[in-house]
Amino acid sequence: MNKSKWMNTLLVSVLSVGIVLAGCSSGSEQGTSTTVAGADPAPTNQTLIIARQSDANNLDPHFISAINAASVVQHKVYEGLIARDENMVFKPLLATEWKQLDDVTWEFKLREGVTFHDGTPFNAEAVKATIGRVLDEKVGSPRAGQFKMITEVKVIDDYTVQFKLAYPYSPLLSILANHEGSIISPKAIEQYGKDLSKHPVGTGPLVFESWTPGQEIVLVKNDKYWGEPIKFAKAVFKVVPEDTTRIAMVETGEAHIAEPLPVTEIERVKNSPQLDLYRTAGLGTDFIGFNNKKKPYDDVRVRQAINYAIETDAIIQGVYNNIGTRANSAMSPKVLGYSESLKSYSFDPNKAKALLKEAGYPNGFKTTIWTGDRKERINAAEVIQSQLKGIGIDVEIKVLEYGAYLDAEDNGETDMFISGWGNATGDADYNQYNLFHSASLGKGGNTTFYVNPEVDKLIEQGRREQDTEKRKQIYAQALQIEADEAPMVPIRNLEHVAAVGKNIKGFWISPSGYMMINNITIQ
């Protein structure tokens, strides 16, 4: 790569990866919504109401561990130096342009005339303060691993900043475009410290107003926003656990969007004259995880046995109503670094029984499968319970409220569990480093507590390698080792679905899973 080429070269280089990520639409389903040509201008004093199944568990970009939470603040309250469009192509945001000066130096030109919600000016010092915070060991951010290669943030002038790296890091732009890359007010960092989750302060088109845990999060229009203003006065993220209630709220006009949409309600939405079905391919996967540090899951033969005993096609068809496709790893085929040559497990109950016997469990064992309170995951747990009974494993199902479930995962309290990973960047490093590297145990994303020094080494090689084809080869090796050692059972590659009122235009969900509401008009 010519290190002196500017941003437009970078845009072209990622287009081939991003082009397959566009949303799909057919019949009553909608991809990206656009304002209807010739329609009367929508009033701008309205409140956008989004009915969501569960509350956010954190609003601090340096501590957020779930897309559900990130979706509330990403591109709304907080903004990063760069963003990605619907095809995952990089575009300017708080940085107007950038270039790679050499293998380990990146320079960003910053947007002038931008202020944070608390009146603090956005400049190079704000960028330095933000990166300094995520890397501060006293702060203890589980996202620090995504930035630890940055050895210095050098302020060239008020609106020019350079990142000095310890080694070449191919996914840098993808991380800066993600919620971890949100630029935070230096004043807020100093004022709130670890309480920043309750007081998010960014530069975005919406300003944080209030958070009533378990009930709602309220954002209001930023009248001093540097960019194009939003077309509504307020956004309210209401917590509505009951699936049918969320949909009914949109049908009656009490809410405008219901998300997530359970697969059991797809036909209801399709047939409703008040609703549109939004459906688009995502980057993430659902999987069954094992706590590799707990017996009997510390034995690879037990983990392999369960992989052979799970009939994933039946789960995708019977539980997920064919929303999504069969996964053969924790990495979606749309992620850069996916391996088509990966050898995965077939459905073979006899092989499963033989492995259990070899591991010392000829009659099976009793265990618990943990899950959050999403209906389809509870249904999946019931099917898994039935399937594993066939090889002698007696499974108890434990359902927790979503936030409590995430805490249990992070803290290693689970045994077997149903989870997912929403790969927010489209790059293999985000999948591999978070889910499988030993530096990410627990809150870092590795909730299976899987440790393999060889995999660690490959992941580190992959993030340093500049050549795309060589990176793919490195990740193919890592994926095969992970499949052989079976820290999890891949189930499906995700699709994002939502119920949207027909009076809503401009709504979309990014391939990463962020709800994008800034261009919405309420008609």
Side-chain angles (χ1 to χ4, degrees), residues 86-321:
E86 296 158 68
N87 295 320
M88 296 295 282
V89 176
F90 296 116
K91 64 179 184 179
L93 197 55
L94 292 178
T96 57
E97 54 187 0
W98 57 90
K99 61 183 175 181
Q100 189 173 5
L101 301 180
D102 55 48
D103 282 349
V104 294
T105 308
W106 288 79
E107 183 172 279
F108 295 84
K109 296 290 186 180
L110 306 182
R111 192 176 299 278
E112 299 184 28
V114 178
T115 58
F116 290 96
H117 300 154
D118 59 7
T120 304
F122 165 74
N123 53 29
E125 290 292 347
V127 176
K128 183 175 182 177
T130 296
I131 301 300
R133 178 182 188 258
V134 74
L135 290 174
D136 187 345
E137 293 183 0
K138 294 179 181 179
V139 173
S141 167
R143 306 266 65 87
Q146 305 300 326
F147 298 89
K148 71 176 184 178
M149 72 299 301
I150 300 176
T151 58
E152 181 185 6
V153 179
K154 186 176 182 180
V155 175
I156 305 302
D157 58 44
D158 282 352
Y159 297 103
T160 308
V161 65
Q162 290 181 358
F163 288 2
K164 299 283 189 177
L165 312 182
Y167 50 82
Y169 182 57
S170 293
L172 179 66
L173 294 182
S174 67
I175 293 298
L176 294 177
N178 202 41
H179 64 264
E180 288 99 331
S182 298
I183 305 300
I184 305 169
S185 162
K187 179 181 177 181
I189 290 174
E190 183 177 351
Q191 181 177 356
Y192 299 117
K194 289 191 175 182
D195 284 334
L196 190 69
S197 177
K198 302 173 185 176
H199 307 277
V201 182
T203 59
L206 288 161
V207 178
F208 174 81
E209 180 177 271
S210 64
W211 182 6
T212 307
Q215 296 183 36
E216 66 181 26
I217 297 172
V218 181
L219 311 179
V220 296
K221 182 178 180 178
N222 178 9
D223 290 326
K224 298 179 180 179
Y225 183 54
W226 62 266
E228 183 176 349
I230 58 171
K231 300 178 179 66
F232 49 88
K234 183 182 294 188
V236 179
F237 296 82
K238 283 189 174 293
V239 180
V240 184
E242 175 56 46
D243 295 331
T244 55
T245 303
R246 287 198 305 278
I247 299 168
M249 288 174 67
V250 182
E251 286 180 319
T252 61
E254 188 179 349
H256 301 100
I257 299 164
E259 190 277 340
L261 177 66
V263 296
T264 53
E265 303 297 325
I266 295 289
E267 292 304 314
R268 173 183 173 181
V269 174
K270 280 184 175 180
N271 295 327
S272 172
Q274 290 85 28
L275 303 176
D276 279 330
L277 172 66
Y278 183 92
R279 178 177 177 180
T280 188
L283 300 175
T285 57
D286 278 337
F287 57 83
I288 304 165
F290 306 115
N291 189 331
N292 286 229
K293 67 179 183 179
K294 279 189 177 182
K295 289 186 177 297
Y297 304 112
D298 58 346
D299 191 321
V300 65
R301 294 166 296 186
V302 171
R303 303 193 301 264
Q304 290 172 338
I306 294 176
N307 268 269
Y308 280 118
I310 298 297
E311 192 174 4
T312 53
D313 287 339
I315 296 173
I316 293 169
Q317 181 178 356
V319 174
Y320 292 104
N321 198 22

Side-chain angles (χ1 to χ4, degrees), residues 461-477:
Q461 288 176 356
R463 58 175 21 193
R464 297 176 185 226
E465 179 57 58
Q466 300 285 287
D467 184 279
T468 299
E469 291 305 314
K470 289 181 180 178
R471 291 189 77 209
K472 289 179 180 179
Q473 293 170 17
I474 291 167
Y475 290 123
Q477 294 178 58

Side-chain angles (χ1 to χ4, degrees), residues 284-290 303-304 306-316 320 325-333 338 342-346 384 387 417-421 431 435-436 448 479 482-494:
T285 57
D286 278 337
F287 57 83
I288 304 165
F290 306 115
R303 303 193 301 264
Q304 290 172 338
I306 294 176
N307 268 269
Y308 280 118
I310 298 297
E311 192 174 4
T312 53
D313 287 339
I315 296 173
I316 293 169
Y320 292 104
T325 57
R326 180 178 179 176
N328 65 353
S329 74
M331 193 182 299
S332 159
Y338 173 80
L342 184 65
K343 297 177 182 177
S344 56
Y345 293 82
S346 58
I384 293 162
Q387 291 181 351
F417 56 95
I418 299 179
S419 190
W421 185 255
N431 176 282
L435 287 180
F436 298 104
T448 62
L479 287 171
E482 292 156 9
D484 294 341
E485 296 203 332
M488 58 178 60
V489 183
I491 301 178
R492 65 167 185 147
N493 303 305
L494 298 183

